[in-house]
Amino acid sequence: MEKEKKMEGERVDATRRWVIGVGFWVQGFRLFPWLGVNFFLKDGMGVAASSLQILQASANLPMVGKPLLGLLSDAVPIRGYRRLPYVAIGALLQAISWLAIALWPAISLPNLTIFLLLSNFGASICEVANDAIVAEAGKQATSSSGSGQLQSFAWMFGSSAGALGNLVGGIALSYFSPKIMFLFFAILLVLQFCTTVAIPESSLQLPKADTNLSAVSSIRKQIKELSCALCMPEILWSVIWFSVSYAVIPFLLGTMFFYQTEVLRLDSSVIGLSKVFGQVALLAWSVAYNKYFKTTPARKVLSALQFLTALIMLSDVLFVQGIYRNLGIPDSIYTIVFSGLLEGLMLFKVLPFSVLVAKLCPSGCEGSVMAFVMSALALATIISGYLGVALAEFMGVSGGDFSALPTCLLIEAACTMLPLCLSSLIKERKEKDKKEE
């Protein structure tokens, strides 16, 4: 009897890991077609730097609604199941979007924008459902280490796929058109859809929906729990600081992309390697944080990361002025290392802040609060992208004139330093106080 139970447990665990691995790998590999989107817009459609950055920022709008999608998937099961049907729907929407972009002969910019929004809407559905599977399966683990292993497994698959997507994407652009990349990714999504539909959710043995509550009652209950958590000053002010630390930065991502490819004439493989370096740096930071910095106060870690981000931006000023080139450092090497590190640094703060939120949150509402935090992060990065476009336009930086780019980068670095003046908003609470509450 025990042997049968053990075999059943191993089978369930293997099925869960397959579903989680495929889900996180495919979503991580989204960086592959998105690298192609940048070059397709610049070379294939002749889009200006400001328009490119506006589209990049606006395409993330569906990510702002992730908390609502989480409430929907929790409260409205499809044929009695709350996770895999939503993963399948999300994969199908993405497949339709990328197929349309790949096969449309002369797609217009408005139509392209609509399909990119639809793709990210499908991706947000998948991410919400996949995160929920990891959370629910982790709670059923026999030990805290078992739960942590499942989360690490998901993180590893997503991050490795992101690095692979950027690496392969940079090389593929040298041999194929971006539309071939879109078509290839659409085929992967179709395979994910077929795989997801073929697996019954009952085989994952996840908690079933509460049939005693109606959909409206369930949503109201979860909104009430989220509201109570956000009313706690230490959570509210910490979330405000975290959001502001992104929103106040006029991020010049699209402008720098045009400078690197149009002025410096860097190859697409260099841009891909730069993004790979950022992904590798992100993985290395996660290991270093868990090993060395997990017990360090969150305020110190977050402030140090904010300061380091500003330093890299100041270094970009020297890069644009050609100082590193005069010192014998090739533009390609600087772009791979420092531009990649800067993109990674923009996400470094998520890990220590997630740990902080887990410490501050009342038990049982960590998931909904983190979904709200990631939604706020998506909105903040959209605002940051719009501010970057406004700054570049105001300073007269365009596809043919980058003379004011060093000044723009100085302003960007100065704005990055501003949240350090408000670091006292990051609240921490002792474990003893949490237990007493």
Side-chain angles (χ1 to χ4, degrees):
M1 191 70 178
E2 283 186 19
K3 188 176 180 181
E4 291 180 358
K5 285 184 178 180
K6 185 178 179 181
M7 290 179 64
E8 177 66 15
E10 290 176 351
R11 185 187 63 79
V12 171
D13 183 62
T15 306
R16 287 175 175 174
R17 286 178 177 269
W18 169 259
V19 170
I20 292 170
V22 170
F24 276 83
W25 194 91
V26 173
Q27 293 310 305
F29 201 70
R30 287 173 61 237
L31 296 178
F32 172 77
W34 271 100
L35 182 61
V37 168
N38 292 335
F39 284 92
F40 179 69
L41 288 168
K42 180 179 75 73
D43 300 328
M45 304 187 72
V47 172
S50 57
S51 300
L52 172 66
Q53 187 155 332
I54 288 175
L55 194 147
Q56 285 176 328
S58 302
N60 286 323
L61 281 171
M63 299 296 178
V64 179
K66 287 176 74 172
L68 296 178
L69 292 173
L71 293 174
L72 181 67
S73 65
D74 286 340
V76 185
I78 299 175
R79 294 187 176 182
Y81 298 111
R82 303 178 299 163
R83 305 306 177 207
L84 289 187
Y86 284 96
V87 174
I89 291 172
L92 183 61
L93 290 177
Q94 291 181 82
I96 292 172
S97 303
W98 290 110
L99 276 173
I101 297 171
L103 301 178
W104 198 308
I107 189 168
S108 64
L109 186 59
N111 289 332
L112 176 65
T113 304
I114 290 172
F115 284 122
L116 290 177
L117 285 168
L118 181 62
S119 170
N120 274 356
F121 178 65
S124 62
I125 295 174
C126 285
E127 288 178 7
V128 165
N130 286 326
D131 288 342
I133 292 173
V134 172
E136 291 176 341
K139 285 181 180 179
Q140 294 177 345
T142 56
S143 64
S144 58
S145 63
S147 172
Q149 286 174 3
L150 196 59
Q151 291 172 336
S152 299
F153 175 81
W155 175 269
M156 178 189 68
F157 263 71
S159 300
S160 60
L164 180 64
N166 281 319
L167 178 62
V168 176
I171 297 172
L173 282 167
S174 302
Y175 299 95
F176 306 104
S177 71
K179 286 199 170 189
I180 298 297
M181 298 169 64
F182 305 154
L183 182 62
F184 177 77
F185 187 65
I187 294 172
L188 280 183
L189 289 166
V190 171
L191 293 175
Q192 184 193 14
F193 171 78
C194 296
T195 302
T196 305
V197 170
I199 298 175
E201 188 170 319
S202 56
S203 64
L204 303 180
Q205 294 187 6
L206 299 175
K208 294 184 178 179
D210 189 351
T211 54
N212 297 324
L213 292 176
S214 64
V216 175
S217 299
S218 179
I219 291 176
R220 283 178 179 173
K221 179 185 175 184
Q222 293 181 60
I223 291 177
K224 185 178 179 180
E225 290 177 352
L226 177 61
S227 301
C228 290
L230 292 177
C231 285
M232 298 170 63
E234 58 268 34
I235 294 179
L236 177 62
W237 289 112
S238 296
V239 171
I240 289 175
W241 184 91
F242 184 70
S243 303
V244 168
S245 71
Y246 286 94
V248 298
I249 303 173
F251 202 35
L252 298 166
L253 181 63
T255 304
M256 285 298 292
F257 172 75
F258 262 73
Y259 175 77
Q260 291 163 352
T261 55
E262 290 295 305
V263 177
L264 302 181
R265 298 293 179 181
L266 295 179
D267 190 69
S268 60
S269 60
V270 174
I271 305 300
L273 284 173
S274 170
K275 295 181 181 296
V276 170
F277 189 88
Q279 291 287 322
V280 173
L282 194 59
L283 279 171
W285 162 244
S286 66
V287 174
Y289 176 78
N290 285 313
K291 193 170 183 179
Y292 301 110
F293 302 107
K294 202 168 186 179
T295 56
T296 306
R299 182 185 300 175
K300 289 184 178 180
V301 176
L302 293 170
S303 298
L305 291 174
Q306 192 76 14
F307 181 73
L308 184 57
T309 302
L311 282 183
I312 299 294
M313 291 175 177
L314 287 174
S315 178
D316 280 349
V317 178
L318 303 180
F319 168 63
V320 171
Q321 291 178 332
I323 293 177
Y324 291 121
R325 192 182 310 118
N326 294 335
L327 293 174
I329 301 175
D331 293 334
S332 57
I333 298 299
Y334 181 91
T335 299
I336 290 172
V337 176
F338 287 93
S339 296
L341 183 60
L342 179 59
E343 286 195 40
L345 272 170
M346 296 299 288
L347 295 175
F348 275 24
K349 290 184 295 185
V350 175
L351 180 56
F353 192 77
S354 300
V355 174
L356 175 64
V357 168
K359 291 178 180 177
L360 296 177
C361 276
S363 180
C365 64
E366 294 91 346
S368 58
V369 173
M370 269 314 298
F372 178 83
V373 169
M374 299 312 292
S375 172
L377 172 61
L379 181 60
T381 53
I382 290 171
I383 295 172
S384 173
Y386 289 161
L387 288 178
V389 172
L391 175 62
E393 289 291 317
F394 179 76
M395 297 299 294
V397 176
S398 63
D401 183 11
F402 290 90
S403 58
L405 183 56
T407 306
C408 290
L409 291 170
L410 281 173
I411 296 172
E412 181 187 37
C415 292
T416 305
M417 297 287 282
L418 289 178
L420 293 176
C421 303
L422 304 173
S423 60
S424 59
L425 294 178
I426 305 172
K427 306 294 182 182
E428 297 191 63
R429 185 171 40 162
K430 295 180 180 179
E431 192 68 22
K432 179 181 177 182
D433 297 334
K434 184 177 179 183
K435 288 180 179 179
E436 286 177 357
E437 182 172 328

